[in-house]
Amino acid sequence: MIELTIDGKRVQARKGEHLLAIARREGVEIPTLCHHEAVEPSGACRMCMVEVTRPDWEGWSKLVTACNFPAEEDLIVRTRTDKVMQTRKEILELLIARTPGSQLIAEMAREYGLDHPTLTVGELSEKCILCDICTRVCQNLVTGAISRINRGVEKEVNTPFAEVSDVCIGCLACAKSCPTDAIEFKQVGLERTIWGRTFDLVPCTQCGAPTLPKEQAEWLSERTGMKVEEYFVCVKCKAAQTARTYENIAW
Ligand code: SF4
Ligand code: FES
């Protein structure tokens, strides 16, 4: 274990542990946008900037991204200095101009004193901050159906050539992990539509409620060894099944 200081408090950590994880454990709040526990940090959004120095740096300090900066013995971390707050404010100024449709960014911007943003470069409904959480989740954990496409102001997250993807399994991992709810999907009855493709949801074998797309169940089955049919029981019926199992155990 090593010791470092965060906002004046001496804390313990594993060498190399990221500053964000240590700060969160110690109850110190650092804003993040592109961070997601399920994937490796990318350092893309810069919202988690903090200022670090060391006793032997003779007053010199630097800004680093807390989500991927490794802890070192005796590091001194300050999470709310003027430099840090100004940097986060400038990032939010750019983000709010790009994504006027995002409520999350508007709320964060207000916290940093940006009540009346003037500049708008994105469409009024635009919510995507290009944090790449969805693409990293899809590429690293699911099927790699989406990525960034186009360049410059046209840059966006989509399926290749913005065409209907035959790789997508309709799992919603992208939409559910998006911090700004930028990925639209629709679920009505036994149909789920995302990225321009409509998936049939298999009805629960016990109560008929929607479960998963067949494509997602097959993908899961291949990786877990469970039978595809086992995925076609809804959460409620599974819970009831588990409860019955416990009832039947002679304690
Ligand atoms: S759609 Fe959401 S998760 Fe994906 S890059 Fe945009 S803001 Fe990030
Ligand atoms: S959360 Fe650290 S750079 Fe985005």
Side-chain angles (χ1 to χ4, degrees), residues 20 31-36 41-49 65-68 136:
L20 179 66
T32 61
L33 282 170
C34 70
H35 182 72
H36 194 285
S42 70
C45 75
R46 324 301 282 174
M47 264 312 283
C48 65
M49 285 287 193
T65 45
C67 65
N68 60 1
R136 285 181 287 142

mmCIF file of all heavy atoms in Angstrom, residues 20 31-36 41-49 65-68 136, ligand 2:
data_model
loop_
_atom_site.group_PDB
_atom_site.id
_atom_site.type_symbol
_atom_site.label_atom_id
_atom_site.label_comp_id
_atom_site.label_asym_id
_atom_site.label_seq_id
_atom_site.Cartn_x
_atom_site.Cartn_y
_atom_site.Cartn_z
ATOM 1 N N LEU A 20 -9.295 8.525 -9.528
ATOM 2 C CA LEU A 20 -10.752 8.631 -9.429
ATOM 3 C C LEU A 20 -11.314 7.572 -8.474
ATOM 4 O O LEU A 20 -12.166 7.872 -7.625
ATOM 5 C CB LEU A 20 -11.385 8.463 -10.820
ATOM 6 C CG LEU A 20 -12.910 8.521 -10.851
ATOM 7 C CD1 LEU A 20 -13.413 9.903 -10.477
ATOM 8 C CD2 LEU A 20 -13.445 8.128 -12.225
ATOM 9 N N PRO A 31 -16.304 15.085 -11.067
ATOM 10 C CA PRO A 31 -17.252 14.841 -12.165
ATOM 11 C C PRO A 31 -16.606 14.034 -13.288
ATOM 12 O O PRO A 31 -15.412 14.172 -13.556
ATOM 13 C CB PRO A 31 -17.604 16.253 -12.652
ATOM 14 C CG PRO A 31 -16.440 17.086 -12.256
ATOM 15 C CD PRO A 31 -15.844 16.477 -11.014
ATOM 16 N N THR A 32 -17.393 13.175 -13.904
ATOM 17 C CA THR A 32 -16.897 12.384 -15.035
ATOM 18 C C THR A 32 -17.976 12.340 -16.112
ATOM 19 O O THR A 32 -19.156 12.497 -15.823
ATOM 20 C CB THR A 32 -16.605 10.923 -14.623
ATOM 21 O OG1 THR A 32 -17.817 10.323 -14.162
ATOM 22 C CG2 THR A 32 -15.559 10.814 -13.546
ATOM 23 N N LEU A 33 -17.555 12.107 -17.333
ATOM 24 C CA LEU A 33 -18.524 11.894 -18.411
ATOM 25 C C LEU A 33 -18.202 10.631 -19.197
ATOM 26 O O LEU A 33 -19.079 9.864 -19.527
ATOM 27 C CB LEU A 33 -18.559 13.117 -19.350
ATOM 28 C CG LEU A 33 -19.349 14.307 -18.804
ATOM 29 C CD1 LEU A 33 -19.132 15.540 -19.672
ATOM 30 C CD2 LEU A 33 -20.835 13.991 -18.703
ATOM 31 N N CYS A 34 -16.911 10.415 -19.499
ATOM 32 C CA CYS A 34 -16.591 9.252 -20.337
ATOM 33 C C CYS A 34 -16.202 8.036 -19.524
ATOM 34 O O CYS A 34 -15.792 7.019 -20.074
ATOM 35 C CB CYS A 34 -15.485 9.593 -21.330
ATOM 36 S SG CYS A 34 -13.874 9.833 -20.582
ATOM 37 N N HIS A 35 -16.332 8.135 -18.195
ATOM 38 C CA HIS A 35 -15.946 7.001 -17.354
ATOM 39 C C HIS A 35 -17.106 6.029 -17.189
ATOM 40 O O HIS A 35 -18.237 6.450 -16.931
ATOM 41 C CB HIS A 35 -15.508 7.520 -15.979
ATOM 42 C CG HIS A 35 -15.041 6.441 -15.068
ATOM 43 N ND1 HIS A 35 -13.848 5.789 -15.256
ATOM 44 C CD2 HIS A 35 -15.608 5.867 -13.993
ATOM 45 C CE1 HIS A 35 -13.698 4.873 -14.323
ATOM 46 N NE2 HIS A 35 -14.755 4.902 -13.548
ATOM 47 N N HIS A 36 -16.817 4.731 -17.341
ATOM 48 C CA HIS A 36 -17.830 3.702 -17.085
ATOM 49 C C HIS A 36 -17.126 2.501 -16.484
ATOM 50 O O HIS A 36 -16.102 2.051 -17.009
ATOM 51 C CB HIS A 36 -18.538 3.309 -18.394
ATOM 52 C CG HIS A 36 -19.780 2.517 -18.155
ATOM 53 N ND1 HIS A 36 -19.755 1.194 -17.783
ATOM 54 C CD2 HIS A 36 -21.085 2.861 -18.218
ATOM 55 C CE1 HIS A 36 -20.997 0.753 -17.640
ATOM 56 N NE2 HIS A 36 -21.825 1.752 -17.893
ATOM 57 N N PRO A 41 -10.697 3.017 -18.652
ATOM 58 C CA PRO A 41 -10.832 4.465 -18.861
ATOM 59 C C PRO A 41 -10.154 4.909 -20.152
ATOM 60 O O PRO A 41 -9.134 4.334 -20.555
ATOM 61 C CB PRO A 41 -10.134 5.065 -17.645
ATOM 62 C CG PRO A 41 -9.282 3.988 -17.086
ATOM 63 C CD PRO A 41 -9.883 2.674 -17.494
ATOM 64 N N SER A 42 -10.726 5.928 -20.790
ATOM 65 C CA SER A 42 -10.138 6.388 -22.047
ATOM 66 C C SER A 42 -9.544 7.787 -21.924
ATOM 67 O O SER A 42 -8.780 8.210 -22.780
ATOM 68 C CB SER A 42 -11.197 6.399 -23.147
ATOM 69 O OG SER A 42 -12.119 7.437 -22.883
ATOM 70 N N GLY A 43 -9.919 8.515 -20.890
ATOM 71 C CA GLY A 43 -9.396 9.878 -20.726
ATOM 72 C C GLY A 43 -9.880 10.824 -21.806
ATOM 73 O O GLY A 43 -9.213 11.799 -22.124
ATOM 74 N N ALA A 44 -11.054 10.566 -22.364
ATOM 75 C CA ALA A 44 -11.500 11.334 -23.530
ATOM 76 C C ALA A 44 -12.155 12.668 -23.195
ATOM 77 O O ALA A 44 -11.948 13.647 -23.899
ATOM 78 C CB ALA A 44 -12.473 10.490 -24.355
ATOM 79 N N CYS A 45 -12.959 12.725 -22.135
ATOM 80 C CA CYS A 45 -13.778 13.939 -21.934
ATOM 81 C C CYS A 45 -13.047 15.036 -21.172
ATOM 82 O O CYS A 45 -13.415 16.195 -21.264
ATOM 83 C CB CYS A 45 -15.098 13.582 -21.249
ATOM 84 S SG CYS A 45 -14.937 13.213 -19.477
ATOM 85 N N ARG A 46 -12.069 14.706 -20.363
ATOM 86 C CA ARG A 46 -11.258 15.634 -19.556
ATOM 87 C C ARG A 46 -12.022 16.272 -18.399
ATOM 88 O O ARG A 46 -11.512 17.178 -17.743
ATOM 89 C CB ARG A 46 -10.609 16.763 -20.397
ATOM 90 C CG ARG A 46 -10.138 16.416 -21.770
ATOM 91 C CD ARG A 46 -9.126 15.345 -21.842
ATOM 92 N NE ARG A 46 -7.771 15.719 -21.508
ATOM 93 C CZ ARG A 46 -6.770 14.849 -21.405
ATOM 94 N NH1 ARG A 46 -6.984 13.581 -21.636
ATOM 95 N NH2 ARG A 46 -5.561 15.238 -21.067
ATOM 96 N N MET A 47 -13.280 15.850 -18.149
ATOM 97 C CA MET A 47 -14.044 16.469 -17.058
ATOM 98 C C MET A 47 -13.480 16.129 -15.680
ATOM 99 O O MET A 47 -13.730 16.819 -14.707
ATOM 100 C CB MET A 47 -15.508 15.996 -17.112
ATOM 101 C CG MET A 47 -16.463 16.912 -17.811
ATOM 102 S SD MET A 47 -16.369 18.618 -17.322
ATOM 103 C CE MET A 47 -17.217 18.588 -15.765
ATOM 104 N N CYS A 48 -12.741 15.032 -15.581
ATOM 105 C CA CYS A 48 -12.271 14.588 -14.270
ATOM 106 C C CYS A 48 -10.910 15.175 -13.917
ATOM 107 O O CYS A 48 -10.240 14.684 -13.020
ATOM 108 C CB CYS A 48 -12.196 13.066 -14.256
ATOM 109 S SG CYS A 48 -10.960 12.447 -15.405
ATOM 110 N N MET A 49 -10.518 16.260 -14.604
ATOM 111 C CA MET A 49 -9.225 16.904 -14.335
ATOM 112 C C MET A 49 -9.044 17.228 -12.853
ATOM 113 O O MET A 49 -9.952 17.755 -12.212
ATOM 114 C CB MET A 49 -9.147 18.224 -15.097
ATOM 115 C CG MET A 49 -8.900 18.056 -16.559
ATOM 116 S SD MET A 49 -7.201 17.557 -16.793
ATOM 117 C CE MET A 49 -7.076 17.815 -18.536
ATOM 118 N N THR A 65 -5.911 13.690 -15.775
ATOM 119 C CA THR A 65 -7.260 13.109 -15.724
ATOM 120 C C THR A 65 -7.284 12.030 -14.635
ATOM 121 O O THR A 65 -6.542 11.050 -14.709
ATOM 122 C CB THR A 65 -7.652 12.509 -17.088
ATOM 123 O OG1 THR A 65 -6.549 11.756 -17.593
ATOM 124 C CG2 THR A 65 -8.001 13.583 -18.086
ATOM 125 N N ALA A 66 -8.159 12.258 -13.646
ATOM 126 C CA ALA A 66 -8.188 11.371 -12.469
ATOM 127 C C ALA A 66 -8.606 9.947 -12.823
ATOM 128 O O ALA A 66 -8.224 8.997 -12.140
ATOM 129 C CB ALA A 66 -9.138 11.937 -11.419
ATOM 130 N N CYS A 67 -9.381 9.788 -13.903
ATOM 131 C CA CYS A 67 -9.909 8.445 -14.200
ATOM 132 C C CYS A 67 -8.821 7.479 -14.636
ATOM 133 O O CYS A 67 -8.995 6.270 -14.513
ATOM 134 C CB CYS A 67 -11.018 8.518 -15.243
ATOM 135 S SG CYS A 67 -10.455 9.088 -16.858
ATOM 136 N N ASN A 68 -7.699 8.011 -15.169
ATOM 137 C CA ASN A 68 -6.663 7.066 -15.616
ATOM 138 C C ASN A 68 -5.259 7.433 -15.123
ATOM 139 O O ASN A 68 -4.285 6.895 -15.618
ATOM 140 C CB ASN A 68 -6.675 6.921 -17.149
ATOM 141 C CG ASN A 68 -6.410 8.225 -17.867
ATOM 142 O OD1 ASN A 68 -6.198 9.259 -17.222
ATOM 143 N ND2 ASN A 68 -6.441 8.193 -19.180
ATOM 144 N N ARG A 136 -17.241 1.742 -26.823
ATOM 145 C CA ARG A 136 -16.309 0.873 -26.085
ATOM 146 C C ARG A 136 -17.042 -0.300 -25.450
ATOM 147 O O ARG A 136 -16.559 -1.431 -25.452
ATOM 148 C CB ARG A 136 -15.560 1.682 -25.016
ATOM 149 C CG ARG A 136 -14.483 2.580 -25.627
ATOM 150 C CD ARG A 136 -13.729 3.344 -24.567
ATOM 151 N NE ARG A 136 -14.521 4.409 -23.996
ATOM 152 C CZ ARG A 136 -14.507 4.761 -22.721
ATOM 153 N NH1 ARG A 136 -13.749 4.120 -21.858
ATOM 154 N NH2 ARG A 136 -15.244 5.754 -22.290
HETATM 155 S S1 FES B 2 -13.931 10.799 -16.978
HETATM 156 FE FE1 FES B 2 -11.797 11.062 -17.025
HETATM 157 S S2 FES B 2 -11.422 11.860 -18.966
HETATM 158 FE FE2 FES B 2 -13.574 11.472 -18.985
#
